[in-house]
Amino acid sequence: MNFKQGIALMSSLLAFGLGAEAGAVCTQTGASQADRDLWNTHGCWQDFFLWQYQAYGLKSGDWSNRGWSDACNVSLEFPKHWNASYLLTYGMLDNFAQSFHGTADYRGTAEARSSNFHDSLYHGITDRTDVFGTFSPRFWPWDTDKVETACPLYNPNASNSNPASRAGDYMHEGWHANFDKHNINNGNTGGHRPGPQGSCTINGCDYFYFHGISKYAFGAMWENDGTANRFHSPNQVQVEFLCDVSDQSQWWIPLSVRQTAAADANSRAVSRFINGPGYSCGSPRPW
C-alpha cells in the first residue's frame, strides 16, 4: 500500500470510530496461486476495500496486524478477505438459465446488513486451525451476529486458502445466520446433523435439497416453505456458490480460481450430505 492509500484507509476507519488493537495472526508468508491470479485482475482497488470493510462490518480490533493498514499486501488476511469479496461481488455470470443463484443472493448472504437473508452481522477472524469458520448468534437485542473465518482459509499452503473457498465460507456461515433469523433447527452438531450417516462421512451433516435451475428468482434464495421442496442447507448453499464460480462465472475469472472452487465443492459434495453426493461441478444443468 502506498502512503496515500494507507492514510485514506486509516482516515476512513477513524471516521467510523474504530480504534486499533493488537491481535494474533495466521501465516503471512504469501498467497495461493488463485489469490494472486484474481488479485492481478483488479490490482489494489482502494475504493473497493474502503467500501468492503463497511459492507462486511469489519472491525479494526479483529484485523489489526492482519493487513488492516496494509490493504494492498495480498499475503495478509484482510486483503485476502476483500479479494474473496471482490469475487462474489463482480465475478458471477448471473445466467438465469444456468446459474443456481445470482449475485444478489450471494451478496445478501455474505454482507453485514440486515435483510431477508439474516439479521445484522459482522465478519471477524479467528486463529483456529480446526475449522474453516464459525457463526455466533447475538445474545442480546443490541448485539450483532458474528461470522468468523479461520486460518485454513488464509494460510497460503492450505488447500482451501483461495478466494472461492473463502467466499464459500461466507455463504456457509451466512446461512447459519439465515437459520438463526428464521428459527430453523438444522441439527445440534454445530448447526448440522450428527454423523457419519448416510453418505456423509463427517460429524456435521446436511441434506442436499435438489431444486431445478431457475426455480428461485435472483434475490429469492432465502425463501423456504418448511419442506424439502423449497429449502437450502448451509453446505448446499456453499456448494451451489462454488459450482457457480466454477461453471457460471465471468469470462475473466482466472482458471485457478475456477479449479479450486470445483475441487472444494466436489470434496464437500461427497463427504457432507446424508443423501449425497449432492451436485458435482460440471454436471449437466438444468435438471
Side-chain angles (χ1 to χ4, degrees):
M1 172 185 283
N2 63 36
F3 177 77
K4 289 183 178 179
Q5 289 172 328
I7 292 297
L9 176 58
M10 293 310 298
S11 296
S12 179
L13 301 184
L14 291 173
F16 279 81
L18 301 175
E21 299 175 10
V25 295
C26 302
T27 303
Q28 299 179 328
T29 57
S32 67
Q33 186 66 51
D35 263 315
R36 288 183 277 114
D37 288 346
L38 182 64
W39 191 270
N40 289 337
T41 69
H42 58 71
C44 185
W45 186 7
Q46 178 180 336
D47 287 345
F48 183 79
F49 70 69
L50 290 174
W51 167 85
Q52 189 267 356
Y53 89 85
Q54 299 174 59
Y56 283 70
L58 273 62
K59 302 177 181 180
S60 65
D62 296 324
W63 297 89
S64 65
N65 294 342
R66 300 180 189 269
W68 189 251
S69 301
D70 195 7
C72 293
N73 182 350
V74 73
S75 295
L76 305 179
E77 293 96 315
F78 171 50
K80 289 174 181 175
H81 192 279
W82 75 255
N83 199 33
S85 301
Y86 179 87
L87 171 65
L88 71 85
T89 303
Y90 295 109
M92 312 313 298
L93 193 59
D94 286 358
N95 177 358
F96 192 64
Q98 289 291 312
S99 301
F100 280 109
H101 302 286
T103 300
D105 300 289
Y106 298 136
R107 287 186 58 182
T109 304
E111 292 176 14
R113 68 186 183 277
S114 179
S115 68
N116 287 323
F117 288 88
H118 54 64
D119 293 327
S120 296
L121 56 78
Y122 71 96
H123 281 246
I125 185 167
T126 173
D127 292 309
R128 289 177 62 177
T129 58
D130 60 327
V131 295
F132 293 113
T134 64
F135 167 73
S136 301
R138 60 184 180 179
F139 289 101
W140 303 102
W142 54 86
D143 283 344
T144 303
D145 294 342
K146 178 170 67 174
V147 166
E148 286 187 313
T149 39
C151 288
L153 296 173
Y154 297 96
N155 292 343
N157 294 323
S159 60
N160 280 23
S161 181
N162 62 79
S165 293
R166 204 172 299 122
D169 202 75
Y170 306 166
M171 300 298 106
H172 185 118
E173 307 307 337
W175 214 250
H176 284 300
N178 172 274
F179 281 3
D180 184 65
K181 177 182 179 71
H182 296 289
N183 296 312
I184 297 170
N185 182 1
N186 191 53
N188 60 5
T189 307
H192 302 281
R193 301 164 192 269
Q197 62 171 306
S199 295
C200 175
T201 60
I202 66 169
N203 185 27
C205 306
D206 284 343
Y207 284 97
F208 193 99
Y209 301 91
F210 287 88
H211 66 82
I213 301 300
S214 305
K215 182 173 182 178
Y216 288 83
F218 288 167
M221 184 173 67
W222 63 272
E223 295 177 356
N224 76 80
D225 63 5
T227 74
N229 182 61
R230 195 169 183 83
F231 195 80
H232 286 83
S233 66
N235 278 297
Q236 177 180 351
V237 170
Q238 189 170 15
V239 166
E240 289 182 352
F241 167 76
L242 289 166
C243 286
D244 274 347
V245 173
S246 172
D247 304 336
Q248 293 293 315
S249 57
Q250 298 285 350
W251 63 269
W252 48 266
I253 296 299
L255 179 61
S256 59
V257 176
R258 297 172 186 260
Q259 289 176 330
T260 51
D264 189 1
N266 293 343
S267 174
R268 289 177 179 276
V270 299
S271 64
R272 294 182 178 244
F273 296 111
I274 297 168
N275 59 335
Y279 179 82
S280 296
C281 301
S283 297
R285 303 187 198 187
W287 58 77

